[in-house]
Structure formats: structure tokens, C-alpha cells
Amino acid sequence: MLRITGGKVYDPANGINGKIRDLFIQDGRFVPAGAGGRTIDATGMIIFPGGVDVHTHVAGGAINFARAMMPEDHRRAQAFIRSKSRRSGLGGMAPTTFATGYLYAGLGFTTVNEAAVPVLSARHTHEELSDIPIVDKCSLVLMANNEIMLDLLEAGEYERAKNVMAWYLWAAKSYGVKAVNPGGVAAWKWGKDAKQLSDSIEGYSKLTPGNIVTALARMCDELKLPHPLHLHCNNLGAPGNISTTLDTLQHLEGHRAHIAHSQYHAYGGDDWDTMQSSTTELADYFNTHRNLTTDAGAILFGDTVTITADGPWQHLLYKLTGRKWGNLDIENETGCGIVPYTYRPSNLVNAVQWAAGLELLLLIEDPWQVFLSTDHPNGGCFWRYPEIIELLMCADHRKECLKQLPDNIKGRVKLPEIDREYTLYDVATAMSAGPARALGLKTKGNLGAGCDADVVIYEEDDSVIRMFSHPRYVIKAGEVVIEDGDIRETPEGREFLIKPGYDPSTEEFIQPLFEDCYTMSFDNYPVELERIKRPDIQQCGAAE
Amino acid sequence: MSITLTLKEEPSVPLEAEVLSASRLADLSYDEICGLKLYHGKRQVRIDDFFDVDGERSDQVEIHGDLHRVRLLGRDMDHGHLTIHGSVGMHLGAHMTGGRIDVHGNASDWIGAEMKNGFIHVHGNGGGQIGGGYRGSLRGMKNGTIIVDGTAGLEVGLRMRRGTIVVGGVVKDFCGLQMKGGTIVLLSGAEIRTGAWMNRGTIISLKPLQLMPTFQLSCYYNPTFLNVYARYLKELGIILPWRAENGSWARYYGDCSVPGKGEILVWHPHVA
Amino acid sequence: MQKSKFLPRGRKDRTMVLVDIRETKSAKAADIFLQVKPGKDFELLTILRAMIKDQPVNQAMVAETGVSLQALQDLVNRMKSCKFGCMFFGMGLSMTRGKHMNSAALLTLAAEMNAYTKFVAMPMRGHGNVTGADVVMRSQTGYPFGITFNRGYPRYNPGEFSTVDVLVRGDTDAAFIIGADPGATMPQPAINHLACIPTIVLDPHVTHTSKLARVHITTAPAGIAAPGTAYRMDEIPMPLKPALKSPYPTDEEVVRRIREAIEKKPFWMPDDSEQMTLAQV
């Protein structure tokens, strides 16, 4: 039994907004009451459910490639020292596996969603996820440029494609479906892109990105996946791309969807010189379509590294910046591009991006629809989330920061006019309860009886950054893992998987298609369940 | 008054001694100096486990002994004078921001790596990557002066941004690799691939060089800046020919593969 | 050669260019063979970088590479007009004079070619599970090789901490060799040093290194009698499914048992590293 007494509880899933409540934990879950065991006196402290990062890139071939590209960042990163209970590691922009767990736990985050996994290298992603201590994980598998899927969609074989996708989800041992620049990354195999939903896709005659978007969203709904289609829209980062994003949303009408890092998809203007924020239009759409969720993908000024499956976009970034560039093509499935990048307040485009991320978090009214993220590490490193929380909670601080931006930012962004400040309740929703619900993880982000006992306890502090950067206690599955800034325990986390139903003939159907174009034996393709540490298979089709 | 350290015990594996810098020791008492930590392999040891210590509270530091296995001497130094009588290991004066280091012996790789300012004079031979950027770093030294009287190794001035490097003996391949600025003076020339992938900066060689195929000859001339530069180098004991009656400089630009705007000047003495 | 959806005639739809210092068997299979003079790869690749950008090159020095300007211009034209170009390279670049810069030159050329068409490059790794070791090192330490843990966290510097250099300089006082045979491949000073220090070898075979080691432990061969994962050179992991049983323990088992024995000894890190993190050296 672990008791937490006298703290001010923020539990949006149960409507608890700062009430002084006691919490009781037994066998890793919350229970209604109990006695004995350890008591943490949380008087004067603030209690949140453990953080849930709904969109991050922390494990897999892409991140590992980024690690190779940046020894200079590793050298200046925070070093984790080997101890009897702790592995060594390095923080920075592409933290090593052990360090990733320590860093997230140190911030009070207890569940992490690895947002982009190619099926072909999923085995490796799971190796890295297994190494990450403390936090629970889930992962999303890349589908929108999978050529077997695209071939089936082009041939009008929707039902087959749906079964194949279900097969892929289980083969990759993943939790949900990720779509990145649908059609565009397939086109990148030809050195091309597909920016608009009605564009043709190189190598295909009829199929459009719009077809892919609608089909995948429909499949996720029909398979009753706990998390809807998670979509990185076409035309990321381009001035004027708000129209592509709104077009995408039209294509999603009638379906659930989660729009990834929407900041990068909310720009007006025609070119870099006239680029501006069009977040109002996007926020209006979210405010009138309550079945959609998004994560902000906010940027923070400073150094970081961009890592996405959006191969063509990353090549463009390389050409624009002359920075280092890494490119991986995954046969038949997807791509990956990596470019280290520095966001500067003096750069007008970066200034617009900085404002846009915050605007989306502030203009989308329902905190259950918009979540805290930087698309780590693309917009900024996850261990800087407290800086975003401060910007959301303190309008004065925002105004001070706006003064650092170039004068010609005026008229391009809405942020100066926004006075809204996030309350602690809003923050708890945006960083925990909301993402947990969107992911369909019913036992997460929730301090109610029966839910997983993941708790973060902060000391009240006038400095928002200090408060959120240094939780007093972090509890994971009822174990105190962080206390007074020290790592006390490093339990293994679980990995959430789903096993959607599919027609038993599907595997037989895929095999010859696979053998025709892959360079691997079909037997070696699916990830063996034994490789997943502490797998937790979630149901598809549970009632909403 | 100065501080003197004498090596009394040969390290069996490399000794990491970044605490041995003039600025680090400048305000410390004798006991504090003796108790500073060095890394001998994976074990932390005290300075007085390996050195006899004499003196305290001085930014004039002398070290005696064969220190070829001692690394990181003078690292991060920002003022004072560190003199070593003996050879030293890697990373001499790396990340320095000020002060002066003299080595009466040979040094190893990474002399003055990523230094921001300061002065290093190795009176013997040096290793590779002098004034360079560590692997992956976009830039090497940002400023400062490094003089090596003897020979040097590969990648001298790797990605240097500014500052001066002078080498008395022959240097190996890739001198000035991906240089971004600054000046390298080669008194005895180099092996191959000098100036490879240069962006900007100046390499001055008193001996003929084997250049990359992506360098083009501009002209033969006697640039005015060189006689000013020669005067500065004379104060450091380095003689640069510049008088037009004695010869002229062949100027090459490149590396066109980047394309870069670096320059390489090669001395052509007039035949008597 | 494989026919594919976009290259229906298979080999006929592909052009293979082979660059080597001598005419090997592969030259017969190539459409174009360019014989480069030994030690001129870096120059050749740098010339190509200039030529694709229409930058000037020194014609006399081009000739010194052994490949004519005309042949290079033809190559550049073909590279720019192809639909998908791929360069493979191996130890002929990475182990000859220039070393990592030869590899860098080829990779940079591939990156710059993307301004014109789709182009990629891939290093052909050595035998065994080199790629696997690289991948695991990187995910756990951030660095692929040449790593020291002496300060309790990973630090990287090829030439300082890479094995051959450590052994040649005699910077180590013990060696633990797993699945490698430095006694057969490394320079003599390295081999001599391995012979003087306590060296422990884990290998299915008694190797050259085993013969100069203090301890040799025979282990089950990976992939044949021991399970695990091997990585292809494109970093795709393949499961190893052992077909046979071995009377010998796996490498993993031996390492675990050694570690358990070490854990019974007093922990060697000094107490003030209760501190979780610090700024690096």
C-alpha cells in the first residue's frame, strides 16, 4: 500500500480540479481506500496523473541514425553516470535508450508513444523500446507509403487492404496506424513528392494522397482501433499549407483522426517572405469538429534535430540550410530524413512557427483536443516541455518573449492578441488525461480506482519552469521511481500492443506479394511476440 | 613564485589530467592541489599519487617528466602560463580561452582542439588534428595561435574557423581540411590533399605542395597583407619571405568541389 | 538479376559502373569499368563533386587519376540522367589512404546528386555482425565504436579509444575479446601488446588471438547453435534461428556469469557519483 495524503489533486478524467484528496495505491493500481504501507505527505503539493507523450520519436532506426550523425551534440549533452542501479547514457537531442527513460521519468512522464515505426525494422524499434526503463510504451506503424497497401488501394481492393493493414499491425507488434505525407514518401523513391491531396503519385496512375487518407481513416475506424488514424499531413512546413490541411480534414469527414504536430501544417502566405500563421482557421475547424484531436508540435528556439519519415521535406531542409543530411529509404514501405536544425528568434519563419504552436494550444478551446508536444525532437527536445507549459500559463511571459521577435512579425501572427492562460487543470489535460484518452489507453492519465498508479507530484512554485522540471515525486505503477531529484527504482515498463481481427487467408495472400518485392524471407518479417518485454495486448472494438 | 609538478610514477594506462591547467591551479593551496582528482583509467587518483608538488597559488605552472601518456593538459585554460618539460599526450590546450602553454618536447593529437583563444607553442613534434574540431563538430578552433616547431600529422586545422597555426616541419595529408577561416603557415610544406574541401581561409606554404585537382591557379603576386603578417610572425620567431626581389607567391583558389573560396599561397623564390 | 515492376527487363534496364584499381571478376559483369590508380579515389570523387556542379577542374590532375576527363564526363551525364542511382563501397575506400575521408567523399557526392535525381549510397560492412554491434552501441551509448566508459558515461574519439590504436599504444592493461580475431589482423605492436597483458577470448574456434591469450572460453556459434539477432548492412535486423545444439555456452551466458561474479566485488565507482548526471569532460 502506498498512500499519498493531503495533496491538491488534478484529475481531469474524473473532473477533480485542485481538490485536496488522498490517493491509495495497491499492486500498481489506484484503490478507493487503504491503510498501512508507506505514506507520502503531499500537503501543499500538486498532484497530476503521470504525463503521456502522444507523439515523440525516441526509438528505432531513424533515431539511431540521428545518433550516429551527431557526436558533437552527445559531447555537450547531460551525461548519466553508471551506478549500481542505473545504466549510463547521454541526453541531448537524440538521447540514448536508458537516458530516455530517466529523462522522461524525471519530468513526470510515464507513458510514451513512439510515433513512427517501419514494419521492416520494427524488430529493432522494439529492442530500443525494451531498453527504455520505467515508462510504458506504445508505437505506431507506418502505412501511408506502404507499396503493397498502395497497390491494393489503386486496384480498388479496399477490404483486402484493410485486412492486410490489420495483419501488418500485429506483425509489427504495434499499437496503431501512422500516416506520414501519404503518397509523398512513395514518390520520394523517384526523387519526387506529393503535396496536394489531388496530386498524382509517381509510380501510380490513379491513386491520390486524398484516397489514401480517407481509406486509412476508414480502416482504423472499421477495425475499431483504440487510437484513430494518426496523420502527418501532406505539404508539411510549406507557406500556404493551411489549404492542404483543411483539404485533408475534409477527406477525413465522418471519421476519427489525430492530426500530428499541427503547428507545421497551419501556415498562410505564398512563400517564405509572406509566410504567416493561419492557426485561426485550423482552430476554428477543431472547435467545430469535436471528434478530432491533435498535438501541437510547438517549437522552441535553440538547437535540435529534425527526424521524420517525410523524406522529400527533409531533403528540402538540407538544401535550404546546408546542414548535415541523413536519408534512409525503407524498401517498399517508407523513408526517413534527418537534418540538425536551429530555430532562431531572429528568423522570421521560425518566429511565426513559434507563435503558431502556442496559438493552436490556446485557440483550440477544448484541452481534450489539443495536446502538449514538440514532435520531439523536431520542434524541440521533450525535456524542454516545461518551457512550453510556462508560455501557456503566463501571458506576460509570452508578451516578453514576443518582444524578442523581429518587428515584421506584426500582422503575421495572432499570439499578441491572445490573453488566455492555461490553468493547472488545462495543463493536466493537455499533458496527461487528454493524450491518454486519445490513445485509447483507458488506465492512463486517470487517478480513478482501477487505473494505473502513475502519478507526478510537484511542489508549488512561482516559477512554472522550475515546478514542472523538478517534480518532487514520480510514481510509476505504484513504485516511487523519482524522489527529490534522484532515481530510486528503474522498473521495466510495459508495451501496449493491439491484435486487430483479420481474415485468416490474409497471410497467404500477402506472402507472394511480399516475396515478389522484398529482400527478406517472409518468415523473418513478423516480429516475434517473445521479443516484446512485458507485452500488454489491448482490445480493439471496446465501447467508447 | 610558481607551482612545479614532477612526475614520480609512470601511468600504466592513460592519465586524464584536465585539472592540470594554469588557471585551474592559480588560486589553490598546496593541499588543495595535491588533492585534485585525476583519472588513471577508470580510477580516480590524487595528483600527489603521480606528481611531487611544490608551490601554490600561482598561475605560472611548470610540469616535468615524460607525460606522453598524460592527456587533457591545459584543457579549458583561460589565463596563466603552463610550461611542460617533457612530451605530452592528446588534447593539449583543448577548448582553451586564454593564457599560454609551452611544451619542451613532443605533443600528440588534438593540440588546441576547438580552442577559442590563447597561445600554444610545442617545441617538438605535434600529432594530427591540430586546432581541429572533434568528430562531428562543425567547427574547429575559433581563434588563438598554435606553433609546432617540428612535424605534424593528419588533418592539421580541421574545420578551423579563425586563428593561426604555424608548423615548422612537414605535415601529413589533409592539412586545412574543410577550413572555414584562419591561417595555416607551413614552413616545410605537406604531403598530399592540402586544402581539401576548403570553404575559406588561407594556407601559406614555403615549399611546393601537391594540391587537389579542384584548385585553380589565380596568379603570381606579392600581396600586401603578407608583409604585415610577416612582421607579426617575426615577433614569434618565424621568418616568412615576402620581398618581391626574393620571389613571389603562386595563389590558388578552391576547393571548387564545395565550391569554396579558400586560398593557398605557395612561395616561388626567384632563381638567382 | 531481379526484374521489378519499374525495371521490367531486369539487368537490361540497369547500368552498372565498376570502379576499381584492378580488373576483377566483377568487371565482366559491369557495363562500364573505370580503372582508377591506387590512392586516387579521394581525388576522383572530389573531381566528380566539382563536375556535377559545372565547376572547373585541373585537367592534368584529372589524368593522374587514371580515368580520362571524357570518361568522367560521360559518368556524370549518366548519373544525372538516371532515375535512381546507388553507390556501394567497401574497404577499398575505407581502409586505404584517406580512410574515412574516402567514404565521406562518396557519401557527399551521393547527397549532392539529389539536387538532380534520386541517389543513395551504402557502405558494404565487414563480415560477422559488425552492423549489429554498431547499432546496439549507438542506441545504448550514442556512439558506434571507439568508446570509453572510464568516467562512468560513454565518450567517443576514434584514434584515441578505437581498439587498434589502444592496443598499438599499449593503453590498456587487460583485454576481453569476443567474436573477433585481432591476433590475425592487427599490426604487430598491437599483437605484441595483447600477448603481454591478461587477454580473455570468447570464440567458437581457437583463434590466433586465443593462442596468445591468458584464457580462452569456447562458446556456441551464433546463428548456428546460439540464438539472437544479426543486422544486415542496411541496418535491418534478422532473427537468428539456431538449427543445432552446442555443448558450449553462448557468448551471452558467459558474459552474464562473468558479470555476476564481478558484481559480488565492491563497486568500483567512487561514492560521489551518487550524483546522477554531470556535465561532461
Side-chain angles (χ1 to χ4, degrees), chain A residues 156-362:
Chain A
E157 299 242 27
Y158 171 83
E159 285 299 322
R160 276 283 194 200
K162 186 174 77 184
N163 277 281
V164 165
M165 192 174 88
W167 184 90
Y168 272 131
L169 280 163
W170 180 242
K173 300 297 178 293
S174 77
Y175 184 76
V177 178
K178 175 69 177 297
V180 171
N181 191 10
V185 189
W188 178 237
K189 302 266 165 73
W190 301 81
K192 302 207 159 61
D193 196 358
K195 292 187 179 302
Q196 302 304 334
L197 290 238
S198 53
D199 279 354
S200 63
I201 301 169
E202 197 70 31
Y204 291 87
S205 51
K206 310 188 281 194
L207 193 66
T208 66
N211 298 146
I212 304 172
V213 167
T214 309
L216 291 180
R218 189 180 148 200
M219 287 178 207
C220 289
D221 282 351
E222 288 178 5
L223 289 170
K224 297 191 169 52
L225 305 183
H227 183 54
L229 178 66
H230 194 116
L231 175 57
H232 157 145
C233 300
N234 298 74
N235 211 10
L236 177 140
N241 66 4
I242 183 68
S243 57
T244 318
T245 311
L246 292 171
D247 194 9
T248 307
L249 292 166
Q250 300 290 341
H251 278 76
L252 291 166
E253 283 279 338
H255 296 294
R256 304 174 301 156
H258 177 94
I259 306 297
H261 41 67
S262 41
Q263 176 276 124
Y264 287 104
H265 302 276
Y267 307 142
D270 303 302
D271 50 40
W272 299 113
D273 291 329
T274 56
M275 178 175 159
Q276 56 182 26
S277 155
S278 288
T279 53
T280 336
E281 290 176 64
L282 190 54
D284 285 345
Y285 196 94
F286 275 89
N287 290 335
T288 51
H289 293 78
R290 309 300 293 277
N291 64 328
L292 295 173
T293 55
T294 182
D295 60 275
I299 71 115
L300 289 164
F301 296 116
D303 294 327
T304 189
V305 59
T306 60
I307 308 175
T308 74
D310 197 336
W313 162 251
Q314 297 290 145
H315 177 237
L316 176 63
L317 199 56
Y318 155 68
K319 286 199 293 191
L320 287 174
T321 61
R323 300 287 297 260
K324 297 186 212 185
W325 176 46
N327 178 80
L328 299 171
D329 292 296
I330 314 293
E331 66 192 43
N332 305 306
E333 293 188 6
T334 184
C336 161
I338 300 157
V339 177
Y341 188 74
T342 305
Y343 292 98
R344 293 179 213 281
S346 56
N347 177 324
L348 188 58
V349 170
N350 294 160
V352 168
Q353 292 174 312
W354 177 85
L358 299 170
E359 286 168 12
L360 284 167
L361 283 157
L362 294 163

Side-chain angles (χ1 to χ4, degrees), chain C:
Chain C
M1 189 184 277
Q2 188 90 341
K3 292 181 171 49
S4 72
K5 186 165 145 194
F6 302 114
L7 298 176
R9 298 185 308 156
R11 178 67 180 87
K12 294 195 188 71
D13 284 330
R14 295 181 173 95
T15 304
M16 176 159 83
V17 178
L18 181 71
V19 182
D20 209 329
I21 56 171
R22 67 181 80 86
E23 212 171 312
T24 61
K25 287 189 198 138
S26 308
K28 292 191 184 52
D31 297 298
I32 298 169
F33 170 59
L34 299 175
Q35 189 159 0
V36 62
K37 292 226 165 74
K40 288 294 182 187
D41 294 300
F42 182 78
E43 283 73 16
L44 182 72
L45 290 161
T46 303
I47 289 165
L48 286 171
R49 282 187 64 194
M51 287 175 73
I52 63 170
K53 301 184 192 86
D54 295 316
Q55 288 285 324
V57 293
N58 180 313
Q59 305 223 357
M61 295 186 77
V62 171
E64 283 173 25
T65 65
V67 183
S68 71
L69 186 62
Q70 197 182 10
L72 289 177
Q73 191 57 62
D74 176 63
L75 178 61
V76 167
N77 295 342
R78 287 173 186 270
M79 285 169 76
K80 282 187 169 181
S81 54
C82 78
K83 296 197 198 88
F84 193 128
C86 184
M87 291 190 279
F88 294 99
F89 63 101
M91 294 195 284
L93 283 191
S94 63
M95 299 300 275
T96 57
R97 190 170 182 177
K99 299 253 169 88
H100 60 275
M101 287 312 301
N102 295 333
S103 311
L106 187 145
L107 291 168
T108 310
L109 177 61
E112 291 176 343
M113 277 304 301
N114 278 274
Y116 307 99
T117 187
K118 176 76 175 174
F119 231 91
V120 299
M122 187 149 71
M124 294 186 289
R125 307 300 296 266
H127 54 252
N129 195 11
V130 174
T131 308
D134 180 324
V135 161
V136 171
M137 281 286 117
R138 260 190 277 140
S139 65
Q140 294 195 343
T141 72
Y143 304 114
F145 60 83
I147 302 164
T148 180
F149 292 98
N150 72 314
R151 301 234 185 185
Y153 61 89
R155 289 188 300 139
Y156 165 76
N157 198 15
E160 184 175 4
F161 305 125
S162 32
T163 307
V164 61
D165 304 288
V166 164
L167 289 175
V168 163
R169 282 193 305 263
D171 281 349
T172 185
D173 57 2
F176 191 1
I177 313 288
I178 307 176
D181 195 10
T185 57
M186 288 206 173
Q188 197 59 44
I191 297 173
N192 294 343
H193 190 68
L194 278 173
C196 330
I197 55 173
T199 296
I200 304 146
V201 172
L202 265 51
D203 207 288
H205 306 289
V206 173
T207 62
H208 291 277
T209 317
S210 308
K211 295 196 180 115
L212 38 86
R214 199 74 60 88
V215 176
H216 165 94
I217 301 176
T218 301
T219 51
I224 299 172
T229 314
Y231 280 72
R232 297 191 327 196
M233 65 187 190
D234 60 349
E235 300 196 355
I236 300 297
M238 313 290 290
L240 294 174
K241 300 170 185 170
L244 303 172
K245 289 218 185 312
S246 169
Y248 300 109
T250 63
D251 292 306
E252 185 181 340
E253 215 181 299
V254 174
V255 172
R256 279 189 195 283
R257 286 167 63 183
I258 294 174
R259 199 188 72 190
E260 277 159 32
I262 293 174
E263 274 172 359
K264 297 199 174 89
K265 298 178 141 207
F267 191 60
W268 57 270
M269 290 223 66
D271 276 330
D272 37 290
S273 59
E274 271 314 310
Q275 191 186 1
M276 184 162 87
T277 75
L278 50 66
Q280 299 187 43
V281 168

Side-chain angles (χ1 to χ4, degrees), chain B residues 12-14 16-18 37 39-44 69 71-72 75 90-91 109-110 134-135 155 173-174 177-178 191-193 196-197 210-216 253 255-259, chain C residues 39-43 46-47 49-50 53 55-58 61-62 97-98 100-102 104-105 108 112 148 150-151 155-161 169-173 268-270 272 280-281:
Chain B
S12 57
V13 293
E16 291 180 352
E18 68 276 10
K37 295 282 192 277
Y39 270 88
H40 188 217
K42 70 186 189 192
R43 291 185 166 79
Q44 281 188 17
R69 257 213 180 113
R71 296 179 180 165
L72 298 161
R75 191 194 193 271
M90 295 186 193
H91 309 295
D109 300 331
W110 304 106
Y134 288 112
R135 301 302 173 190
E155 297 173 332
D173 303 351
F174 294 117
L177 177 64
Q178 295 179 293
E191 294 194 28
I192 61 174
R193 298 168 178 166
W197 299 9
Q210 223 182 37
L211 293 177
M212 292 289 296
T214 41
F215 275 78
Q216 299 287 311
Y253 72 89
D255 185 327
C256 297
S257 66
V258 177
Chain C
K40 288 294 182 187
D41 294 300
F42 182 78
E43 283 73 16
T46 303
I47 289 165
R49 282 187 64 194
K53 301 184 192 86
Q55 288 285 324
V57 293
N58 180 313
M61 295 186 77
V62 171
R97 190 170 182 177
H100 60 275
M101 287 312 301
N102 295 333
T108 310
E112 291 176 343
T148 180
N150 72 314
R151 301 234 185 185
R155 289 188 300 139
Y156 165 76
N157 198 15
E160 184 175 4
F161 305 125
R169 282 193 305 263
D171 281 349
T172 185
D173 57 2
W268 57 270
M269 290 223 66
D272 37 290
Q280 299 187 43
V281 168

Side-chain angles (χ1 to χ4, degrees), chain A residues 136-138 174-175 441 444 494-497 536 538:
Chain A
D136 286 344
K137 307 112 187 166
C138 52
S174 77
Y175 184 76
L441 292 170
K444 297 294 183 193
R494 282 136 64 210
E495 228 192 291
F496 296 110
L497 316 177
D536 189 328
Q538 298 283 297

